[in-house]
Amino acid sequence: MRCTRRYGAGYETDESEQPIDQTLSEHGIDVPALAARNGIGRFEITDKWRDW
């Protein structure tokens, strides 16, 4: 599990990714398969839009 600290608060990656996974799954997207097809981990799907 990854955790990042920003503005003095902690964000658990698993918790922040759950709404994304749920939304994708509700629209018929297999999140683990999508990540595997792209050669990345599940949490890396949204990395290019993140500002760490």
Side-chain angles (χ1 to χ4, degrees):
M1 178 185 319
R2 295 183 315 189
C3 180
T4 185
R5 297 232 175 254
R6 187 172 188 174
Y7 307 114
Y11 298 95
E12 294 294 329
T13 300
D14 287 346
E15 293 172 4
S16 67
E17 294 296 331
Q18 287 174 356
I20 296 167
D21 286 358
Q22 183 178 355
T23 300
L24 292 173
S25 295
E26 287 173 358
H27 287 86
I29 297 171
D30 182 343
V31 175
L34 174 64
R37 281 194 306 271
N38 288 282
I40 59 175
R42 189 175 121 230
F43 297 124
E44 294 175 276
I45 291 172
T46 59
D47 277 354
K48 71 179 181 180
W49 294 286
R50 294 191 186 278
D51 182 16
W52 299 106

